[in-house]
Amino acid sequence: MLTERRHAKDIPFDTQPLSLARLDDLDLDLFRQSYLPSMVAPEVIEENGRPVDLQLSSLHLLTPDGTPTVLGLLTVGLDPGSHIPGAYLQFVRYQGTDLDAPISDEQELRQNLVGLSARLEPLLRSNLRTRLVEDGFRETPRPDYPLEALRELCMNALMHRNYETSYAPTRIVWFDDRIEGHSGRYGTTTSTGSPITATLPWPPR
């Protein structure tokens, strides 16, 4: 019975408070202009007229006593990595097919998830190579990989990231013959409660 009571009080890791974080650690402008409108209909926001702390709390980004949660820091935090180890994305492009190959591009994106998703697209586009494919009397540009597939690979790695038990960053590793997305732990793992690894092969299927 004691075990059942203890489990009943457990809350998901992403809604747990970060005791050292404060409201000032959240980007309130980003929350109002981007996150909140994507989660709540404009007419509901206008009708409720809640102050920002209640809006944050209703979306589990802030506890009722005003402490930012893990979810709050990850999504709209000014510097998530200062409170959550490994909360960043590492991008590496190799000129070859293994980790011993020369590196042509390496970046660390240390931002909240909202800002990170915006920075990913230009980074992926800059690493795509486009060739012309004849289509009847026309030549059609065709990139190495569909941008949508690359974006999905990266976002899946970020969304399935296990921030509770792993301090390794999310990693996007681009080789000449494949692209790998590692969700927070080195090596291949599964998506059943653990970080995942996904691969886009070359040539794209």
Side-chain angles (χ1 to χ4, degrees):
M1 291 178 63
L2 289 175
T3 300
E4 291 178 357
R5 289 178 182 176
R6 186 162 56 246
H7 287 172
K9 294 181 180 180
D10 287 344
I11 59 176
F13 175 72
D14 58 355
T15 60
Q16 292 179 14
L18 293 167
S19 58
L20 299 180
R22 298 293 180 264
L23 183 62
D24 291 344
D25 292 314
L26 303 181
D27 188 336
L28 299 184
D29 288 336
L30 179 65
F31 171 72
R32 295 189 189 97
Q33 296 170 14
S34 180
Y35 190 86
L36 182 62
S38 70
M39 301 296 292
V40 182
E43 58 271 17
V44 175
I45 298 174
E46 184 176 355
E47 180 181 347
N48 287 341
R50 293 180 176 182
V52 67
D53 56 337
L54 290 182
Q55 292 174 335
L56 288 161
S57 179
S58 68
L59 294 172
H60 305 293
L61 307 185
L62 200 71
T63 63
D65 64 0
T67 303
T69 64
V70 173
L71 180 62
L73 262 295
L74 288 175
T75 53
V76 295
L78 292 169
D79 184 14
S82 64
H83 295 277
I84 307 168
Y88 65 96
L89 183 141
Q90 183 182 46
F91 176 91
V92 185
R93 172 110 190 222
Y94 290 94
Q95 294 178 330
T97 59
D98 55 46
L99 297 175
D100 294 327
I103 295 175
S104 62
D105 191 4
E106 184 175 13
Q107 299 188 38
E108 286 187 0
L109 305 185
R110 294 180 177 270
Q111 281 185 274
N112 53 59
L113 292 177
V114 176
L116 190 58
S117 62
R119 287 188 61 188
L120 269 175
E121 182 163 337
L123 174 60
L124 296 174
R125 285 185 183 277
S126 68
N127 279 275
L128 282 174
R129 303 293 180 265
T130 302
R131 65 188 189 279
L132 293 177
V133 178
E134 291 188 3
D135 182 12
F137 294 101
R138 296 181 301 176
E139 290 184 333
T140 304
R142 182 174 298 175
D144 295 346
Y145 294 90
L147 182 62
E148 293 77 12
L150 287 176
R151 189 187 299 113
E152 183 175 357
L153 172 74
C154 295
M155 296 310 297
N156 280 345
L158 289 167
M159 294 301 114
H160 290 282
R161 170 78 162 84
N162 188 344
Y163 295 94
E164 184 174 10
T165 60
S166 174
Y167 290 169
T170 303
R171 300 175 66 239
I172 304 300
V173 188
W174 195 317
F175 298 99
D176 284 349
D177 63 345
R178 67 195 184 282
I179 303 172
E180 297 178 356
H182 299 263
S183 187
R185 188 181 296 170
Y186 298 100
T188 303
T189 55
T190 67
S191 59
T192 55
S194 302
I196 63 169
T197 295
T199 301
L200 289 179
W202 174 260
R205 296 191 180 96

